[in-house]
Every structure is written in C-alpha cells, then in structure tokens.
C-alpha cells in the first residue's frame, strides 16, 4: 500500500479535528477551524507591562475552549498542538510590528519537570513561532531549581516569592546589549516573565519584551 493511499485511509478513519471545538476539519496537522478562529477573543494589542519587561502581547485570552486545549497540551501529552499554538503566537508578534527584538527566546521548564512531561511546552511553541517568523530561536535561560507551580502559589506576592532566583542566564555574552523577545505559554500576574526579564537585564540585556500564547483577563 503506497503512502498516499495509507494517508487517505487514515484520514477517513481518524479525521483531523479542530483543537478547540473538536469537530473534524480538512486533513493535516492539528489546527483551529475557521469558525473557532473567528470566535476567539483577542487581548488588546497594547499588551501589558511588567516590573522588568516593557511590554507583553498575547494571542488569545486564557478561557473557554482555548484554556481546555492548552491544558490538554500541557498535561495530557498532546504535543502536536504546538504547531497551531506557535502559529497563533507568530501572528500576534507579526501584527505588532513595533515589537523590536534581536533575540527570540523562551521561558524554560525545570529539567525534572521537562523529563516527566517529555517536552518543554513553551520551547515547542517558541520554535514553531520562530520558524514562521524566519528567526532562529536561541536558548538564553535555564531554570536552576524547581519551584511549586505558580498556579498553586496564591497571591501575586506569593507568586513573586515562589519564583525569585529560579533562573540563570546560560551565556551572558550572547545577550549583552541585545533586545530580547521572551515567549511563554500563559501570563497571569506576570511574575514569571518579570523574574526572567530581571535575570536577563542583570546579565546585560538592553530590553526585554514578551509574547505569550494566552493571557488571563
């Protein structure tokens, strides 16, 4: 049986589904159907500001079917969603033409959590976004200690305390004097992005701007 026939039969038996509404769509990689695309509520292009990053833009709000899809991606091992999520982030960055940067990078997982999950969900999104933007993603940070999940850290103060000192720069010479675009999956209080941005700035980065797949309201 040739590859084309095999693919055709698989598409009949296991049709590609929209990652949000789960309805079948045209065969191919996991994606978001046009109806769901049109229904997405998008945050303002002005973005949000943090203690150490000058701006953070986000592709979607973390709610409803988007939230459910992100949770499947992060916790149920559905890593194939990275392509569709990376496309959303790339479109958000592209639409914000004034978002200037020299280096595209991401917020890394701790090694233990990455090993248990099998992948770093934010790295995959960043690499997919970078591919669409014709940029080379560069790792700049490592998480030098595991911390309690931010979602379980309570207040903004608790989140800041939980994440303080958790990151280190891999190679300061790479980022010195550079404008950094830092990608993460979700922004809630901004504590994680602020801690990463502070670490980059202290190591010599000129400025840090951020982009996330999703933002809480």
């Amino acid at each position: 049986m040739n590859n084309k026939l095999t693919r055709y039969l698989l598409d009949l038996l296991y049709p590609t589904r929209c990652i949000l509404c789960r309805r079948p769509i045209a065969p191919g990689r996991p994606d978001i159907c046009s109806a769901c695309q049109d229904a997405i509520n998008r945050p303002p292009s002005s973005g949000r500001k943090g203690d150490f990053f000058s701006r953070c833009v986000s592709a979607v709000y973390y709610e409803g079917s988007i939230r459910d899809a992100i949770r499947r991606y992060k916790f149920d091992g559905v890593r194939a969603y990275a392509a569709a999520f990376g496309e959303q982030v790339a479109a958000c960055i592209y639409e914000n033409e004034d978002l200037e940067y020299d280096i595209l990078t991401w917020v890394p997982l701790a090694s233990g959590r990455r090993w248990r999950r099998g992948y770093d969900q934010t790295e995959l999104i960043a690499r997919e976004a970078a591919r669409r933007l014709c940029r080379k993603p560069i790792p700049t940070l490592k998480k030098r200690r595991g911390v309690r999940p931010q979602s379980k850290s309570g207040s903004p103060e608790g989140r800041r305390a939980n994440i303080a000192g958790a990151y280190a720069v891999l190679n300061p010479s790479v980022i010195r004097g550079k404008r950094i675009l830092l990608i993460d999956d979700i922004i809630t209080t901004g504590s994680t992005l602020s801690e990463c941005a502070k670490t980059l700035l202290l190591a010599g980065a000129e400025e840090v701007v951020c982009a996330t797949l999703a933002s809480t309201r």
Side-chain angles (χ1 to χ4, degrees), residues 21-41:
C21 68
R22 312 298 293 143
R23 289 193 290 266
I25 56 177
R29 62 173 175 78
D31 209 340
I32 300 174
C33 70
S34 57
C36 286
Q37 284 277 14
D38 293 341
I40 290 174
N41 292 317

Side-chain angles (χ1 to χ4, degrees), residues 47-60:
R48 296 167 57 174
K49 292 185 177 181
D51 293 334
F52 297 95
F53 58 87
S54 53
R55 186 177 170 204
C56 178
V57 297
S58 299
V60 299

Side-chain angles (χ1 to χ4, degrees), residues 74-92:
K74 290 179 66 171
F75 304 121
D76 295 341
V78 192
R79 61 188 298 169
Y81 285 11
F85 288 154
E87 188 171 26
Q88 293 290 317
V89 173
C92 178

Side-chain angles (χ1 to χ4, degrees), residues 40-174:
I40 290 174
N41 292 317
R42 301 192 184 276
S45 60
S46 57
R48 296 167 57 174
K49 292 185 177 181
D51 293 334
F52 297 95
F53 58 87
S54 53
R55 186 177 170 204
C56 178
V57 297
S58 299
V60 299
Y61 278 119
Y62 186 62
E63 59 190 15
S65 59
I66 287 280
R67 179 190 61 230
D68 296 340
I70 292 173
R71 291 185 64 82
R72 287 195 297 273
Y73 171 60
K74 290 179 66 171
F75 304 121
D76 295 341
V78 192
R79 61 188 298 169
Y81 285 11
F85 288 154
E87 188 171 26
Q88 293 290 317
V89 173
C92 178
I93 294 168
Y94 183 78
E95 290 165 4
N96 288 277
E97 296 177 349
D98 57 335
L99 206 65
E100 298 181 344
Y101 59 97
D102 304 306
I103 291 174
L104 185 153
T105 190
W106 64 90
V107 175
L109 274 182
S111 57
R113 188 169 296 173
R114 176 175 180 150
W115 181 83
R116 289 190 296 273
R117 186 168 292 171
Y119 56 97
D120 182 330
Q121 78 278 355
T122 302
E123 178 183 353
L124 295 184
I125 291 173
R127 291 190 179 280
E128 290 287 350
R131 184 168 63 86
R132 288 163 174 78
L133 295 166
C134 299
R135 303 294 292 252
K136 180 181 178 180
I138 297 175
T140 60
L141 293 166
K142 65 178 179 180
K143 200 168 187 180
R144 56 188 180 187
R145 63 179 178 84
V147 298
R148 181 173 50 183
Q150 286 289 75
S151 59
K152 298 180 180 179
S153 297
S155 66
E157 293 77 13
R159 287 173 177 253
R160 285 194 292 270
N162 184 54
I163 206 71
Y167 297 93
V169 172
L170 291 170
N171 187 347
S173 65
V174 171

